[in-house]
Amino acid sequence: MSDESELWRHNLRQLTFFVEVARDNVEAAPASKGVAEKSTKEGLRQAVFHHLLEEHQRKAIYSPQLRDIVRPVLDAVLVFLDKPLATPQLLVQDLGEIDALAGEAIKSIDSMTDEEEVEQVIEAFETRYLATLAIALSAHSTLAQKLAGRKPTDGEYFDVGRCVFARDPAPGRVHSADLNKAMDSGAMSLSIKRGMVSYERFPPIQIMTYGQWFAYIHAIWDEWYRPRLAAAYSRRLGEDFLKNDIKSAFMGELNKIRNDVIHNRSRVKQSAANKILDWATSDGLVGMTTERMSGLRTMFPHDELLTLPGHSAAPKTQNMPWTADVQLIDSVKRRLADRGLSKRQQKEIGDEMLRLWLAENPVPDGPSPPSSVHEQ
């Protein structure tokens, strides 16, 4: 389902929710003499229907099919809003009609065929990219303001659940000094000889917040938008494209930073050869500074994703479709560490295990597969 269809499905479900509540309230006060229906109708106009109509007017709906589905609901809402106030019973009747139309529209959305355009997929991904980046850049602002505004009389312990300071330690409370340490990102000062200079530190809260954004963006790119972009290009160009045919140098480098932050304790390893996102520091760390993160807002690879894809070579490897005993895996890992095998040599172990198993379990009356078991 496209982001657009998902949004409108949400809009309609929210509409039915509020319609049901409004209907309950009006039915609970049948002798209100206009008070209940007036407040109900005004509430729907300002809070629910206004948002629905504004969303429709703000940006044209990409899909003509979706546009035809939501149009009857929007028309019914406009008629409802233009009607003069009547009786509670008529108000309930009008709300029931809108509710029924919204229910049918939801069913139609659920049965829609996939018809996303290439530009639509890219724009949806860019919107998600920027919206979540804004959250990542501002995620600690509330806590930072809270700490900055703390008075000595407030207490030194921060209650995480209640978001207030307290005088005494207790479960769920952390000392304000520890919070400051977790957020301290270094310092900047003026040097008469060198001008403005800075000392960078990458504290836990910053690494967690920014690292989570990298992990999230890579995950939705690889699992949500690459397949949909491949499908959109397949429809446009009349040939089948797979997820791995959709390439992006920018997203590839973003993934390498994600890998270093999550798996290499923010030490530069996978991202050492990055050209676009060359964030390595002199200390060999991934320099996830606020300035660099903010710079990502103008780096979305819009033009790169509009480049026509090519077909990638078929993959030569595949994950084994079964699990193994945990103790066996740990034993292999320890043996790998003891022998100091290279990464390439480690990758060959799986092939060797399969060859050994096939050699021990040949096809009856058939030749055994070639074996290349050797010491590394």
Side-chain angles (χ1 to χ4, degrees), residues 53-68:
L53 298 170
E54 184 181 59
E55 178 63 32
H56 177 251
Q57 296 166 359
R58 181 181 69 88
K59 186 173 67 175
I61 300 176
Y62 262 106
S63 167
Q65 185 181 359
L66 181 61
R67 195 181 307 124
D68 291 340

Side-chain angles (χ1 to χ4, degrees), residues 39 45 56 64 85-86 88 178 186 235 240 310 320 334-335 374:
S39 61
R45 180 193 297 273
H56 177 251
L85 289 175
D178 291 325
R235 287 189 294 271
D240 290 334
M320 295 181 183
R334 287 196 298 270
R335 191 65 55 82
H374 56 278

Side-chain angles (χ1 to χ4, degrees), residues 22-41:
R23 188 164 50 198
D24 290 344
N25 293 340
V26 171
E27 289 176 347
S32 62
K33 297 182 179 180
V35 176
E37 61 267 28
K38 182 177 181 180
S39 61
T40 297
K41 192 169 185 178

Side-chain angles (χ1 to χ4, degrees), residues 87-106:
T87 64
Q89 291 73 24
L90 289 176
L91 183 62
V92 168
Q93 180 179 322
D94 290 340
L95 292 176
E97 292 174 0
I98 293 174
D99 188 21
L101 287 171
E104 290 301 316
I106 291 171

Side-chain angles (χ1 to χ4, degrees), residues 179-243:
L179 272 182
N180 279 313
K181 182 172 63 177
M183 298 175 64
D184 179 11
S185 59
M188 180 177 291
S189 186
L190 176 63
S191 167
I192 297 176
K193 294 174 64 176
R194 292 180 291 155
M196 289 301 298
V197 292
S198 61
Y199 163 71
E200 298 288 356
R201 178 176 180 265
F202 309 107
I205 287 180
Q206 185 168 306
I207 293 174
M208 180 272 293
T209 304
Y210 296 164
Q212 282 184 338
W213 183 82
F214 271 81
Y216 172 77
I217 286 300
H218 172 261
I220 64 170
W221 157 247
D222 198 52
E223 300 296 334
W224 297 2
Y225 292 103
R226 282 183 85 186
R228 284 160 53 183
L229 199 52
Y233 271 117
S234 297
R235 287 189 294 271
R236 173 171 292 184
L237 302 177
E239 54 181 304
D240 290 334
F241 289 97
L242 302 177
K243 177 182 82 171

Side-chain angles (χ1 to χ4, degrees), residues 80-350:
F80 171 80
L81 293 177
D82 288 340
K83 272 187 176 182
L85 289 175
T87 64
Q89 291 73 24
L90 289 176
L91 183 62
V92 168
Q93 180 179 322
D94 290 340
L95 292 176
E97 292 174 0
I98 293 174
D99 188 21
L101 287 171
E104 290 301 316
I106 291 171
K107 292 179 183 178
S108 298
I109 290 175
D110 289 342
S111 63
M112 280 179 61
T113 57
D114 190 4
E115 57 174 21
E116 284 184 290
E117 294 290 340
V118 169
E119 292 80 6
Q120 181 182 359
V121 178
I122 294 173
E123 184 175 319
F125 180 37
E126 184 173 13
T127 297
R128 188 73 62 102
Y129 173 98
L130 290 173
T132 54
L133 180 61
I135 296 298
L137 288 170
S138 60
H140 75 294
S141 60
T142 299
L143 184 56
Q145 292 171 11
K146 196 79 175 178
L147 284 169
R150 185 182 72 86
K151 302 180 183 65
T153 54
D154 292 337
E156 296 183 345
Y157 292 91
F158 183 75
D159 190 305
V160 175
R162 297 166 55 213
C163 201
V164 296
F165 291 100
R167 294 180 179 277
D168 302 314
R173 292 178 182 176
V174 60
H175 199 282
S176 59
D178 291 325
L179 272 182
N180 279 313
K181 182 172 63 177
M183 298 175 64
D184 179 11
S185 59
M188 180 177 291
S189 186
L190 176 63
S191 167
I192 297 176
K193 294 174 64 176
R194 292 180 291 155
M196 289 301 298
V197 292
S198 61
Y199 163 71
E200 298 288 356
R201 178 176 180 265
F202 309 107
I205 287 180
Q206 185 168 306
I207 293 174
M208 180 272 293
T209 304
Y210 296 164
Q212 282 184 338
W213 183 82
F214 271 81
Y216 172 77
I217 286 300
H218 172 261
I220 64 170
W221 157 247
D222 198 52
E223 300 296 334
W224 297 2
Y225 292 103
R226 282 183 85 186
R228 284 160 53 183
L229 199 52
Y233 271 117
S234 297
R235 287 189 294 271
R236 173 171 292 184
L237 302 177
E239 54 181 304
D240 290 334
F241 289 97
L242 302 177
K243 177 182 82 171
N244 288 340
D245 295 329
I246 306 300
K247 306 290 186 183
S248 167
F250 174 81
M251 293 305 300
E253 292 194 4
L254 185 148
N255 180 41
K256 290 176 181 177
I257 289 182
R258 175 204 65 83
N259 189 82
D260 283 345
V261 171
I262 294 175
H263 299 294
N264 297 323
R265 297 171 60 186
S266 294
R267 305 294 305 182
V268 171
K269 188 174 181 182
Q270 295 288 333
S271 63
N274 276 10
K275 298 292 189 296
I276 304 170
L277 299 176
D278 181 11
W279 286 12
T281 69
S282 58
D283 295 331
L285 295 172
V286 177
M288 302 184 77
T289 65
T290 301
E291 289 76 18
R292 283 174 172 157
M293 289 295 296
S294 180
L296 291 172
R297 73 192 189 281
T298 59
M299 297 180 71
F300 182 81
H302 189 275
D303 293 340
E304 188 180 16
L305 298 182
L306 281 173
T307 303
L308 296 182
H311 291 288
S312 301
K316 296 181 179 180
T317 60
Q318 178 179 326
N319 290 334
M320 295 181 183
W322 56 79
T323 58
D325 184 88
V326 172
Q327 292 184 350
L328 284 174
I329 294 175
D330 287 342
S331 297
V332 170
K333 288 180 177 179
R334 287 196 298 270
R335 191 65 55 82
L336 290 173
D338 293 341
R339 299 185 62 180
L341 299 186
S342 66
K343 238 183 172 181
R344 181 171 181 177
Q345 289 171 325
Q346 292 178 28
K347 290 179 180 179
E348 293 174 355
I349 292 176

